[in-house]
């Protein structure tokens, strides 16, 4: 058995840690880097509570051996807020009561952030597809879909506002 | 238990490691769930993530997809529009960003819907072992070598059909999957390749359905006759998604929906 040094950029900061063969990206984030946002739910890739962005794309981090993504760029829920100002998706989840026990929420939010990054104006059906890998046992999904659509609208309005300011 | 994770930079190194007993890892979406339970036997893995196998080439009609290409890469490639509904019917977004084209060939039914489509498309699978490379038709039993690529010719526009029946719209295993390439001329079927998923322990090439379709018009009645002929080729299983009885019962409906679009 060998231990490898793995380098990752996590939420914009360079990190290095020792990975045993069984160290998954999820375990590295939680146990080596202290980022407890991503959760270990099923460890089967079925529940999505460990979803983080790897090189911009959402992945179930429980299925990724850390050594295979050396040099990668990882984004977790901890990196979304700007100081104490939450991201639009985070704030919309709070305002829309889209979180109850909270276990699925970091994964849901990362899936939503990835969707809005490539599709700023999704339909409800596109939101359903985007979060189809994230299981929530509390909310019944309707408030989550509404919150993501709400966040999309807030982001579009902010972008339009910025455009107007730029032209003034 | 994982004892080692190798991440070689080229296929030759990966082949050497597999020859000495390591297991090839594509996206990990089948193997890692099994390894994550801490009760699996000692296992050495060879990740293909950096072995140079993740690329899509389209030259005219000829499509070549590297084995480590993710399902998400296929989904986002406009040249592979015909495979878009196929890959989007598989698992979920964060799984498709990991799962690979080569790995899907080893997915156990009722998973492996891309493999069903590749059988309908008459794809060829290239494998590399210690004694060199070989090519096999998609759907054949694959030896424990490393798959390097799959290749097929894009079918004529409008001839590829795909329907997957599942319990939910997204992220659900197959009840019945139908993939087909059907060529018609003057209202008569001149050629048909029909592959089925969800209705057996492996992807089924529905020869009897094809034989019944060729030479006649593609009508609801003709498809009903072909589905009846195809019953003998089905060996569905009971599982958490559907009973064997249900799968056999709804097969004709989904064959019709795939071939007629209604």
């Amino acid at each position: 058995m060998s231990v490898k040094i793995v380098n990752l950029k996590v939420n914009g900061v360079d990190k290095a840690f020792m990975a045993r063969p069984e160290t998954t990206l999820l375990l590295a984030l939680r146990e080596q880097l202290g980022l407890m946002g991503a959760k270990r739910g099923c460890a089967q890739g079925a529940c999505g509570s460990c979803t983080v962005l790897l090189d911009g794309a959402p992945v179930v981090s429980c299925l990724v051996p850390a050594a295979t993504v050396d040099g990668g760029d990882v984004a977790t829920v901890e990196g979304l807020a700007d100081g104490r100002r939450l991201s639009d998706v985070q704030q919309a989840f709070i305002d829309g009561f889209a979180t109850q026990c909270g276990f699925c929420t970091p994964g849901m939010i990362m899936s939503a952030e990835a969707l809005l990054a490539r599709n700023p104006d999704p339909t409800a059906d596109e939101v359903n597809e985007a979060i189809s890998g994230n299981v929530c046992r509390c909310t019944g999904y309707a408030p989550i879909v509404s919150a993501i659509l709400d966040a999309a609208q807030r982001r579009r309005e902010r972008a339009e506002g910025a455009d107007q300011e730029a032209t003034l | 238990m994982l004892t080692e994770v190798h991440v070689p930079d080229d296929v030759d190194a990966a082949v050497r490691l597999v020859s000495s007993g390591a297991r090839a890892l594509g996206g990990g979406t089948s193997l890692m769930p099994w390894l994550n339970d801490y009760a699996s036997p000692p296992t050495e893995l060879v990740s293909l993530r950096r072995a140079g196998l993740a690329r899509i080439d389209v030259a005219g009609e000829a499509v070549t997809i590297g084995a480590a290409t993710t399902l998400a890469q296929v989904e986002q490639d406009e040249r592979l529009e015909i495979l878009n509904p196929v890959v989007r019917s598989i698992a979920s977004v964060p799984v498709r960003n990991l799962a690979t084209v080569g790995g899907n060939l080893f997915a156990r039914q009722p998973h492996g819907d891309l493999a069903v489509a590749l059988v309908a498309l008459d794809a060829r699978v290239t494998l590399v072992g210690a004694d060199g490379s070989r090519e096999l038709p998609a759907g054949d039993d694959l030896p424990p070598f490393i798959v390097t690529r799959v290749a097929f010719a894009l079918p004529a526009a409008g001839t590829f059909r795909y329907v997957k029946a599942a319990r939910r719209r997204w992220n659900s295993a197959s009840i019945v999957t139908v993939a087909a390439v059907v060529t018609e001329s003057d209202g008569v079927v001149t050629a048909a390749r029909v592959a089925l998923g969800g209705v057996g322990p492996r992807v089924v090439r529905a020869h009897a359905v094809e034989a019944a379709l060729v030479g006649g018009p593609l009508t609801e009645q003709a498809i009903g006759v072909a589905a009846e002929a195809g019953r003998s080729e089905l060996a569905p299983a009971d599982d958490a998604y559907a009973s064997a009885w249900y799968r056999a019962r709804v097969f004709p409906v989904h064959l019709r929906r795939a071939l007629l679009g209604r």
Side-chain angles (χ1 to χ4, degrees):
Chain A
M1 184 186 293
S2 71
V3 173
K4 295 188 169 78
I5 294 173
V6 173
N7 289 279
L8 290 176
K9 192 179 279 286
V10 180
N11 298 328
V13 180
D14 288 322
K15 300 282 185 185
F17 56 89
M18 308 288 269
R20 301 185 306 274
E22 72 271 24
T23 304
T24 60
L25 176 57
L26 174 66
L27 281 174
L29 290 171
R30 290 182 62 83
E31 295 182 4
Q32 317 241 33
L33 302 177
L35 297 170
M36 299 295 185
K39 303 288 187 284
R40 187 179 192 268
C42 66
Q44 304 282 299
C47 78
S49 64
C50 65
T51 303
V52 301
L53 307 191
L54 175 61
D55 299 325
V59 299
V60 276
S61 59
C62 70
L63 299 186
V64 180
T68 65
V69 294
D70 184 29
D73 190 323
V74 175
T76 73
V77 73
E78 288 91 343
L80 294 179
D82 178 8
R84 300 199 64 80
R85 200 176 75 82
L86 298 178
S87 76
D88 288 323
V89 176
Q90 289 174 310
Q91 192 60 52
F93 267 59
I94 292 172
D95 296 345
F97 300 101
T99 179
Q100 288 184 30
C101 86
F103 199 84
C104 74
T105 307
M108 280 288 179
I109 286 176
M110 296 318 287
S111 285
E113 293 281 356
L115 169 69
L116 300 189
R118 64 184 162 77
N119 182 356
D121 191 7
T123 63
D125 199 41
E126 286 166 338
V127 172
N128 280 333
E129 183 179 4
I131 62 167
S132 64
N134 296 87
V135 173
C136 174
R137 299 289 78 166
C138 300
T139 64
Y141 299 102
I144 294 174
V145 174
S146 299
I148 295 169
L149 293 171
D150 179 29
Q153 191 179 345
R154 293 181 193 200
R155 280 176 58 148
R156 290 196 306 277
E157 285 170 2
R158 189 189 311 283
E160 281 165 21
D163 284 350
Q164 281 172 4
E165 270 178 40
T167 54
L168 284 175
Chain B
M1 186 186 73
L2 279 173
T3 55
E4 193 67 78
V5 178
H6 302 279
V7 194
D9 291 329
D10 59 68
V11 177
D12 290 346
V15 168
R16 280 195 298 277
L17 289 159
V18 167
S19 302
S20 63
R23 295 193 65 171
L25 182 78
T29 57
S30 292
L31 207 43
M32 288 299 290
W34 177 72
L35 291 163
N36 265 348
D37 65 3
Y38 298 105
S40 53
T43 303
E44 201 170 316
L45 291 180
V46 186
S47 168
L48 301 180
R49 184 178 265 271
R50 296 186 199 277
L53 296 175
R55 54 177 296 165
I56 299 171
D57 290 300
V58 181
E61 315 285 270
V63 176
T64 306
I65 307 178
T69 306
T70 64
L71 299 187
Q73 282 175 277
V74 172
E75 177 182 338
Q76 287 153 15
D77 196 311
E78 288 173 4
R79 301 168 300 173
L80 299 181
E81 201 182 358
I82 63 161
L83 291 180
N84 183 280
V86 179
V87 289
R88 287 175 70 199
S89 78
I90 299 170
S92 61
V93 176
V95 168
R96 294 202 292 269
N97 279 320
L98 295 171
T100 63
V101 170
N104 199 263
L105 298 170
F106 296 90
R108 289 172 62 190
Q109 287 290 322
H111 304 279
D113 300 295
L114 178 60
V116 180
L118 290 172
V119 171
L121 290 165
D122 200 10
R124 311 285 298 179
V125 180
T126 303
L127 301 105
V128 182
D131 56 351
S133 72
R134 70 179 69 176
E135 204 180 83
L136 291 170
D140 272 25
D141 281 330
L142 299 176
F145 297 163
I146 290 178
V147 175
T148 55
R149 61 177 182 266
V150 298
F152 60 90
L154 283 173
T159 61
F160 179 70
R161 323 289 168 91
Y162 179 79
V163 160
K164 174 179 172 180
R167 292 183 72 102
R168 296 178 306 199
R169 171 88 182 278
W170 306 111
N171 192 13
S172 193
S174 172
I175 292 174
V176 175
T177 299
V178 180
V181 178
V182 178
T183 313
E184 291 169 274
S185 178
D186 297 328
V188 172
V189 175
T190 54
R193 275 184 74 90
V194 179
L196 308 174
V199 292
R202 46 185 296 164
V203 179
V204 174
R205 168 91 187 275
H207 293 282
V209 172
E210 296 170 1
L213 289 173
V214 171
L218 198 61
T219 62
E220 196 168 328
Q221 192 192 359
I223 294 167
V225 171
E228 199 54 47
R231 277 188 191 283
S232 61
E233 293 171 317
L234 311 183
D238 289 316
D239 61 25
Y241 305 101
S243 66
W245 177 87
Y246 182 77
R247 287 185 155 104
R249 182 74 181 79
V250 300
F251 159 66
V253 175
H254 297 297
L255 183 68
R256 187 196 75 219
R257 287 181 184 167
L259 300 185
L260 285 185
R262 58 186 160 84

